[in-house]
Amino acid sequence: NAGVTQTPKFRILKIGQSMTLQCAQDMNHNYMYWYRQDPGMGLKLIYYSVGAGITDKGEVPNGYNVSRSTTEDFPLRLELAAPSQTSVYFCASSRQGAQETQYFGPGTRLLVL
Amino acid sequence: KQEVTQIPAALSVPEGENLVLNCSFTDSAIYNLQWFRQDPGKGLTSLLLIQSSQREQTSGRLNASLDKSSGRSTLYIAASQPGDSATYLCAVRDFGNEKLTFGTGTRLTIIP
């Protein structure tokens, strides 16, 4: 199993551009999550999904959108990039939610200039 | 609002020593607590998960304890090795909440 994969690894965006961060898992996990990690700060939950077709907001959802059309994929969309969205983004998955271990991808480093 | 604190932010110890990392949380009504390891430029790897009904969990040289009443957890690492150098994060899940609240981590350096 590849586990949780994320693409791209690194991206530079100009203010106002849009992009999609890709996340996929091959463990047949129901739950998937997007976090952001800012320097010196803990991870913050952006969005999560409890299954295909079901998504919900986390702690810091503004400026982001998600969709979950399949069990495997959970892309994160930035519509109008802002410097405040410069961060490292992590995707994670778990079989039955936060009551079980979450498995993390390697992260996407995003720089908005 | 749940807040998770990890002190110190950084710790250096000689190889072979036993050490303890600390995690404190403000709201004791937690569902579980997890300890993660993060290597530079990498994602998080789950080390131990303690359910609220448990007092401790062990995996190899690692032992995590949980004291809900005092809002504390510790991660004990025995016989430290240079490969243990990483940032260690704790995270708690509150009841009725899918969100994990993370601490800011302790950056551990094991000196050969």
Side-chain angles (χ1 to χ4, degrees), chain A:
Chain A
N1 288 349
V4 180
T5 58
Q6 292 183 240
T7 57
K9 290 184 180 180
F10 176 68
R11 181 79 180 267
I12 299 175
L13 279 183
K14 293 183 180 179
I15 294 172
Q17 285 185 322
S18 63
M19 77 164 293
T20 299
L21 282 66
Q22 301 291 345
C23 174
Q25 53 90 10
D26 62 359
M27 297 175 282
N28 200 32
H29 285 171
N30 292 317
Y31 287 70
M32 296 187 74
Y33 308 84
W34 275 106
Y35 294 91
R36 60 177 287 173
Q37 184 179 35
D38 299 321
M41 305 289 287
L43 279 75
K44 303 280 188 187
L45 181 65
I46 305 171
Y47 271 97
Y48 68 98
S49 169
V50 303
I54 306 170
T55 62
D56 206 349
K57 296 178 181 179
E59 191 176 0
V60 289
N62 292 343
Y64 307 94
N65 279 300
V66 294
S67 60
R68 183 100 181 267
S69 57
T70 67
T71 299
E72 295 78 19
D73 300 299
F74 190 39
L76 178 71
R77 178 83 176 164
L78 283 70
E79 292 294 348
L80 292 171
S84 61
Q85 294 177 306
T86 293
S87 189
V88 181
Y89 292 84
F90 289 102
C91 179
S93 73
S94 69
R95 192 172 64 91
Q96 291 294 342
Q99 65 196 42
E100 295 189 357
T101 297
Q102 293 191 12
Y103 296 85
F104 281 75
T108 293
R109 185 174 299 273
L110 178 65
L111 180 60
V112 182
L113 299 174

Side-chain angles (χ1 to χ4, degrees), chain B residues 41-104:
Chain B
K42 301 288 181 64
L44 281 67
T45 300
S46 180
L47 298 173
L48 290 165
L49 183 151
I50 310 176
Q51 303 293 350
S52 62
S53 58
Q54 298 175 319
R55 294 299 299 268
E56 65 179 320
Q57 282 283 351
T58 298
S59 176
R61 294 183 294 109
L62 306 179
N63 176 276
S65 68
L66 175 64
D67 184 344
K68 284 197 308 177
S69 61
S70 66
R72 292 183 180 179
S73 175
T74 62
L75 179 66
Y76 174 84
I77 302 177
S80 58
Q81 303 171 358
D84 295 330
S85 296
T87 295
Y88 291 80
L89 300 158
C90 70
V92 301
R93 181 199 174 194
D94 300 324
F95 277 100
N97 193 338
E98 192 58 40
K99 179 174 74 78
L100 287 179
T101 302
F102 282 82
T104 53

